[in-house]
Every structure is written in C-alpha cells, then in structure tokens.
Amino acid sequence: MDSDSKPPSPLLALPAELIDYILTGLPPTSLATLSQTCRLLHTYCLDEQLWMRHVNSNLPFPLKPASSHRGPLSRYNPSAVRSFRDLYARHHPHWFLPRHRIWFADSGSSGKLLVARYDERTGAVEAYAVTALRGPHTFSLWEYNNDVIIHSFTPQVQLDLNQPVVKLEGWCSEDVGEANPGDTYFAMPRDDGRSRLGEEIRMNLNAPDGLFTSFMLARPLPSSYCPSPGTFVWPPLILPARGRTRNLSLSSYRGTGHKPSSHAEVSETAFRLRRWVEYRSRGEGIGTRMGEHVLTFATLPAEAWTPTAKKPWRGIWCGDYSGHGCEFLVVLQPDKPGPLPVGASTRRSESFSSTSSYASAAEELLNGNGEIDESAVEEDAPTPATSSSTAGLTPGSSTGPSSLSDGAEGAGGAEAEIPDDPDDIYHGRIEAIKLTGDPNVPCGEYTFIAPDIGPAGFVRTAMEAPFRDKATGQGARVVKSVGHIAARGFRDDEYIPSQLVLIDHDRMAQYWEPFGHISFYQRVDVDALLRFGIT
C-alpha cells in the first residue's frame, strides 16, 4: 500500500475513531496480522488501550497503566515489560490459565485443585494448590434427634504458597522485542519443521534437587467426537465442559496426536504437567530418569459454578469427609439436568449394602475409651451415630422424632408446611461432584444429589440450632437427597437416602440418614484465593 502504483485501502480513508472501533473487535492474533500490512495500521495496532483490554479480558482483577510510564507493571517491576502489547506477547498462548482460574487434576483418586493467576509482582502466570485445614473439631447431638451426631466444621481454605504447581515466566522483554503475539517463539517452526506449540516447558518451581516438572499444551478432542462412558477423557462426562481431552496414553503423551501443531489445535480448557525424578552422579554425566508421570488438568465453564440470583448454590465448595479430611467439590444447578445415575432416587430404602456402609460395623469405630475412632473409617460417608452415652458428646436440650425419613413433621411435632418462594430459588436439582476425592469415592464422581429442591423434594423447615439464623430467626430448608458411598477402590458404590439442609447460600449440611450423621459444606471464596498472599 505504500507504493504509488497501488490505490490506498478504503479502510485507511475512514476516520481514526472508526478505525479504532473496528480494531476493538479483532482478536489479538488478527491485530498482529493486521499490524504487518502497512505503517499506518501498524501504528493503530500498537494502541495500548487495545492491548490492555486483551490482557485484562483474561484477568479477574484488571491491571492499570503505571502513573509514571505507559507500561502495565507499575509498582512492582516497571522494567519487566514495556507495554501491554509486550505483556500479552510474553505469555501468549498461556493466557487461558488465569482466565479460567479453577483447574483440577486426574491424579488418582485424590485429585488436586489449583487456582491460577497472573502475579504482577513477578510477571509470571502461576497456579497454586488449594488446601484446607479442618479447624477445631467438636461433636454434638442434634437437638431435633438425639440419635444423630453433628460434626462442627470451620475450614480454613488457602493456597499452598510454599511451591507453585505451575509457573510460566514467559519470554523476557528482550526476547519478545517487536514480535507480535501471532509470530512469537511458539509459532516459529523448529529446524525439523514441526511447531513449537508441542514443546514442553521445563519450569523453575524451586523444587528439591532432582525433581523436575514440565508444562505441556494439550490438544482437545474433535467437537464432532462423542466419547462413550468408558472412554478415558478429562474432565469426566458428568461434568460440564466446553472441551475434553484424552487422559490415557501408552506413549506418555509424546505422540503427535496429543500435541497441538497450530494455535487452532491448542486446548484452552486443558493442559498437562510431566513430572519426573532425575539422578546424576557427581560432575557432568548422564542422569537416570525415573518415576515419570503425567497429570492432566481441566477447567469448568465459569457459568456452571458462578452463582446467580436464581441459582444461588452454584460454586466451589469445601466439604467435611470425616477421616478423609476436607475435600473440594463443585455444586451445580443445571438448567437442563440429565437422567439421574442408576440408584440415585430419593425413594426411602429399607436396607443398604453392608460392604459400603458403617452401620454394620459401628462397634468397630469405637476405641477402648468408648470414643469414635476416626482412623477406623474406611468408607466415603461420614462417621455413624453412637448412643447418647458416647464420651465427648453433649446431649441436646430437647428431643425430636427418631427418624426424618417421612418428612411429615417439623420441629416440635408441627406439621411441615411448604413455604412460599418469592424469589423462586427453590426449584430444580442440586448436584455435587468431587474435584478432589479419597480412596472410596474418587474425584470426578458424584458425592450427593438433591433431585428436586422445590415442593416435590421439600421435607421441612429446620428451626433448631445450628440451622436457624440467630439474627433473623429464619429456619433452613430441608430437602430429600441421596449420598454416594463406596468401599475402598470405589467398589460396590451405591446411593443411600439422605437429606440436604440449605442453611444459606454459603453453607449447607448433609444428613446421612442410615449413619445418623450430619456433615457440613462451606463455599470457597475463589476471589479471596486469587488475592491470597498478595499484599
């Protein structure tokens, strides 16, 4: 276009305001391509407002330009990058990690939950493991039914800042130079002609000597592919996802079918970490590599776990699983729920399998002092009830009916009435799926389901402590549910009758009827975790 023999593009004849408006609709790679067409458009495409918008679209808390210069990293490290454009190019194509925030792994039955963020202090994209301390643990008897034990639960959820699980420092400003996000290092072909998008990035995680971790981009399954229930994919089919990837490979994901060769083949909903131990003799020499394993991480669509006015219980939650400790789960309120799993109905069963319950072995859970020995717990459900004479428990102040299975009576024997729902929030299904698990029910499996929290599932309004709101005196809605239990190794899994207590939008309780036990669930404040450790 710079040649006099070529007519100027009609685009260049537009007012500057219109050109700026058009460029706001272009993705970063298109901006990078357009900037190479002519000098004038190159100048337009360097506009900091454009690139600041693209950077901040991936961050929950937007960055702002520094007061003293145009660079985005103001008070921490002004020399790290020169502009928002440089910052975007520095971490391209890894911005999807902080954009989705929540990531969970297929690491056996236990799993792992990560929170990813961009740390402007270091200029790195990082992800840390989410951990929880159970807090002070006490027992009490239920005022409504003295045969039921309530376990206190005040979890302390935080990030394990001792060592990041992911740390991508990107390319330094000198490496980025005048390169565009579309033609940075990852788009440049290797000497053998293959894309660098399939390369692994060895990360500096300050790990012990000999322990290494590399980061890998993943390749999604084709959108036209419909995996069957037996297919090894992550995330599991019961979880909502915009894309899935395989999580089984005989080649440890070294084959070209698992690696993206172009930006269109990069999964933005999954990635992998390869870990191994390497021993080296003193001095220079060939090391011995062993203990290698690969973890696949996936994310959830934000709209699936973000609470709304009509779906206030959606979210990431922390639950009390007795001897297994704290576990994390996602609570879903699907708009169009699918069929219930086999056996997951709220029909009150007369019996349940002794291979996946504590009821047949309650005596084995008591130690020599007559106290509950939680180390004996081997099932995924909470600890069973014992008699009111069990040591360490405080009897309730009043008595109630011995069973809530029929839901016919409320506190004090009053007939249960279905309350009005002016906000129309009590409808549909609540599903809780584990993001971290235990040897009994692993991650990626249901932990409880309330098929209908509306009138069809209503049991009563709980007015007794600890479910009544002390400030307002308002009771908690109790609905029918089923809890998922299994023997070790996820054998003989089944659903047992239970009741879900909707205390408020940030706290729930589950009454595992056959076990005479109530355990609590607390919402995880994801935004607080994103700021955790950052002053």
Side-chain angles (χ1 to χ4, degrees), residues 191-271:
D191 294 337
D192 58 7
R194 296 167 59 187
S195 171
R196 295 186 184 274
L197 291 169
E199 288 187 350
E200 299 184 17
I201 303 173
R202 184 177 296 191
M203 297 181 293
N204 179 17
L205 302 179
N206 299 319
D209 291 342
L211 183 61
F212 298 94
T213 304
S214 62
F215 176 92
M216 296 182 285
L217 293 170
R219 189 171 183 173
L221 290 171
S223 57
S224 59
Y225 178 72
C226 297
S228 62
T231 308
F232 290 91
V233 296
W234 198 253
L237 297 180
I238 64 173
L239 283 168
R242 292 196 182 95
R244 306 183 197 274
T245 188
R246 292 192 179 275
N247 67 333
L248 179 66
S249 171
L250 298 178
S251 64
S252 295
Y253 304 97
R254 289 186 171 88
T256 57
H258 295 289
K259 300 179 178 181
S261 59
S262 65
H263 286 95
E265 294 178 350
V266 173
S267 172
E268 294 197 342
T269 59
F271 67 89

Side-chain angles (χ1 to χ4, degrees), residues 354-377:
S354 62
T355 62
S356 56
S357 71
Y358 293 107
S360 62
E363 296 82 2
E364 298 178 7
L365 298 177
L366 301 179
N367 58 26
N369 298 323
E371 298 174 338
I372 294 177
D373 182 6
E374 293 192 7
S375 64
V377 175

Side-chain angles (χ1 to χ4, degrees), residues 140-172:
S140 63
L141 293 182
W142 193 9
E143 174 186 338
Y144 188 78
N145 183 349
N146 282 336
D147 291 330
V148 177
I149 294 176
I150 298 178
H151 289 250
S152 66
F153 188 54
T154 54
Q156 301 173 12
V157 181
Q158 59 188 16
L159 298 183
D160 182 4
L161 299 179
N162 294 319
Q163 182 180 331
V165 179
V166 175
K167 185 175 183 179
L168 299 173
E169 299 176 288
W171 309 103
C172 68

Side-chain angles (χ1 to χ4, degrees), residues 278-281 285-289:
E278 192 169 314
Y279 296 99
R280 292 182 180 274
S281 59
I286 299 177
T288 302
R289 185 165 174 165

Side-chain angles (χ1 to χ4, degrees), residues 103-105 112 114 165 234 269-273 295-299:
W103 299 88
F104 55 100
K112 184 183 287 291
L114 304 182
V165 179
W234 198 253
T269 59
F271 67 89
R272 295 189 176 95
L273 298 181
L295 300 179
T296 300
F297 287 83
T299 189

Side-chain angles (χ1 to χ4, degrees), residues 18-259:
L18 285 181
I19 296 178
D20 287 335
Y21 179 77
I22 292 172
L23 297 187
T24 58
L26 296 181
T29 52
S30 297
L31 273 179
T33 302
L34 184 64
S35 69
Q36 300 177 54
T37 57
C38 71
R39 292 188 180 92
L40 182 58
L41 288 179
H42 179 77
T43 302
Y44 278 110
C45 292
L46 290 180
D47 182 52
E48 273 290 88
Q49 293 299 319
L50 288 174
W51 292 103
M52 182 174 66
R53 187 180 298 110
H54 285 303
V55 168
N56 287 333
S57 66
N58 297 289
L59 304 177
F61 312 115
L63 298 176
K64 297 179 180 180
S67 57
S68 58
H69 69 297
R70 298 182 73 205
L73 297 185
S74 55
R75 59 191 184 279
Y76 296 118
N77 189 3
S79 62
V81 289
R82 295 186 297 267
S83 65
F84 276 99
R85 177 176 170 275
D86 284 353
L87 176 58
Y88 192 94
R90 176 176 182 170
H91 289 292
H92 178 77
H94 300 136
W95 284 108
F96 65 89
L97 275 83
R99 184 197 319 148
H100 293 302
R101 296 171 285 174
I102 294 294
W103 299 88
F104 55 100
D106 62 346
S107 52
S109 61
S110 61
K112 184 183 287 291
L113 179 65
L114 304 182
V115 164
R117 65 191 185 187
Y118 170 73
D119 192 337
E120 57 179 319
R121 300 171 302 175
T122 62
V125 171
E126 301 173 342
Y128 293 91
V130 184
T131 63
L133 299 176
R134 191 176 190 177
H137 189 204
T138 60
F139 298 94
S140 63
L141 293 182
W142 193 9
E143 174 186 338
Y144 188 78
N145 183 349
N146 282 336
D147 291 330
V148 177
I149 294 176
I150 298 178
H151 289 250
S152 66
F153 188 54
T154 54
Q156 301 173 12
V157 181
Q158 59 188 16
L159 298 183
D160 182 4
L161 299 179
N162 294 319
Q163 182 180 331
V165 179
V166 175
K167 185 175 183 179
L168 299 173
E169 299 176 288
W171 309 103
C172 68
S173 186
E174 290 75 13
D175 292 332
V176 173
E178 293 299 322
N180 288 300
D183 58 10
T184 50
Y185 176 84
F186 287 101
M188 300 176 185
R190 305 191 314 184
D191 294 337
D192 58 7
R194 296 167 59 187
S195 171
R196 295 186 184 274
L197 291 169
E199 288 187 350
E200 299 184 17
I201 303 173
R202 184 177 296 191
M203 297 181 293
N204 179 17
L205 302 179
N206 299 319
D209 291 342
L211 183 61
F212 298 94
T213 304
S214 62
F215 176 92
M216 296 182 285
L217 293 170
R219 189 171 183 173
L221 290 171
S223 57
S224 59
Y225 178 72
C226 297
S228 62
T231 308
F232 290 91
V233 296
W234 198 253
L237 297 180
I238 64 173
L239 283 168
R242 292 196 182 95
R244 306 183 197 274
T245 188
R246 292 192 179 275
N247 67 333
L248 179 66
S249 171
L250 298 178
S251 64
S252 295
Y253 304 97
R254 289 186 171 88
T256 57
H258 295 289
K259 300 179 178 181

